């Protein structure tokens, strides 16, 4: 073998190794996106599990606010049943708005506002909202990194060849983010 054969083999080796590194990087990023979404789902489930307790507590004090309680229940049901990322975003926006209304109604009931169980639930819900926001930021960071890898040269060639797709960001309305239930003492 002459020197040009060694050069060709070295170039092929570099190309193959680069291909493997890029492919594995895309797989890692895709799995990080899925893991980050799983973190969001855990926090959303926590939120969904807290809501019936809040409703039951409010129901004892504000029984004639049935319409508000039904809206919260319907919004929770829609959020739990959401399938796509956009459905989740829409349902979460609606749920946040109905919770905001529920907590606004609770302001009219001093005994409810003083109820230790209600205050604990309100605190837990506010904590969960913060965790959802944090998980959403983490997810969107991973989506951004995946999308950059899918669009950038030369990884875009491998991404297109192996059907790696851009991921969708999980975005909520600004007003919904600002409407995190507030804990007031």
């Amino acid at each position: 073998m002459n020197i040009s054969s060694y050069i060709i083999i070295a170039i092929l080796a570099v190309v193959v190794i680069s291909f493997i590194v890029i492919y594995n990087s895309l797989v890692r990023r895709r799995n990080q996106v899925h893991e980050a979404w799983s973190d969001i789902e855990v926090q959303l489930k926590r939120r969904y599990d807290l809501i019936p307790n809040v409703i039951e507590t409010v129901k004892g004090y504000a029984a004639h606010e049935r319409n508000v309680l039904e809206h919260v229940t319907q919004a929770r049901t829609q959020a739990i049943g959401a399938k796509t990322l956009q459905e989740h975003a829409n349902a979460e926006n609606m749920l946040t708005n109905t919770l905001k209304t529920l907590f606004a109604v609770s302001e009219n009931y001093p005994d409810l506002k003083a109820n230790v169980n209600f205050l604990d639930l309100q605190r837990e819900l506010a904590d969960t909202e913060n965790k959802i926001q944090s998980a959403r930021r983490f997810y969107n960071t991973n989506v951004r990194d995946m999308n950059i890898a899918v669009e950038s040269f030369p990884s875009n060639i491998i991404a297109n060849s192996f059907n790696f797709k851009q991921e969708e960001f999980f975005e909520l309305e600004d007003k919904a983010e600002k409407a995190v239930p507030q804990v007031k003492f």
Side-chain angles (χ1 to χ4, degrees):
M1 270 214 231
N2 59 18
I3 197 150
S4 62
S5 297
Y6 288 118
I7 293 173
I8 291 173
I9 291 173
I11 290 172
L12 286 175
V14 167
V15 168
V16 168
I17 290 171
S18 296
F19 172 85
I20 291 169
V21 167
I22 291 171
Y23 178 83
N24 288 341
S25 172
L26 289 167
V27 169
R28 181 178 43 80
R29 289 180 191 280
R30 180 179 57 201
N31 288 335
Q32 286 173 329
V33 168
H34 293 171
E35 177 187 9
W37 178 251
S38 176
D39 290 346
I40 289 174
E41 286 182 324
V42 165
Q43 296 307 323
L44 292 177
K45 182 176 182 335
R46 181 176 179 221
R47 180 187 197 197
Y48 303 151
D49 291 347
L50 283 171
I51 290 171
N53 296 332
V54 172
I55 290 172
E56 284 303 312
T57 303
V58 171
K59 203 184 284 185
Y61 289 89
H64 64 279
E65 302 289 353
R66 184 180 186 101
N67 193 27
V68 173
L69 299 174
E70 286 175 359
H71 279 59
V72 172
T73 303
Q74 289 170 349
R76 176 183 177 265
T77 302
Q78 281 185 322
I80 290 172
K83 301 289 184 222
T84 68
L85 209 56
Q86 188 59 46
E87 286 176 5
H88 271 288
N90 292 339
E92 290 304 317
N93 287 329
M94 188 169 83
L95 182 57
T96 298
N97 289 332
T98 60
L99 285 172
K100 181 177 145 186
T101 302
L102 177 68
F103 286 113
V105 164
S106 74
E107 293 293 318
N108 298 329
Y109 300 91
D111 291 342
L112 175 60
K113 286 179 13 181
N115 180 297
V116 174
N117 188 36
F118 181 71
L119 292 174
D120 286 344
L121 289 168
Q122 220 177 6
R123 248 190 313 278
E124 269 192 71
L125 198 53
D127 180 52
T128 301
E129 295 291 339
N130 290 333
K131 288 178 180 177
I132 290 169
Q133 183 181 25
S134 177
R136 189 172 59 84
R137 278 194 309 267
F138 180 67
Y139 171 80
N140 285 340
T141 297
N142 281 295
V143 166
R144 180 202 62 210
D145 293 346
M146 177 66 176
N147 291 348
I148 289 170
V150 167
E151 292 178 6
S152 299
F153 181 81
S155 61
N156 63 342
I157 296 169
I158 296 169
N160 289 333
S161 299
F162 289 93
N163 209 25
F164 286 94
K165 301 286 184 203
Q166 285 190 335
E167 297 288 339
E168 192 176 338
F169 288 100
F170 185 51
E171 298 177 321
L172 301 176
E173 293 177 11
D174 286 340
K175 68 179 180 182
E177 285 184 282
K178 294 176 186 168
V180 174
Q182 298 296 315
V183 177
K184 295 182 181 180
F185 298 99

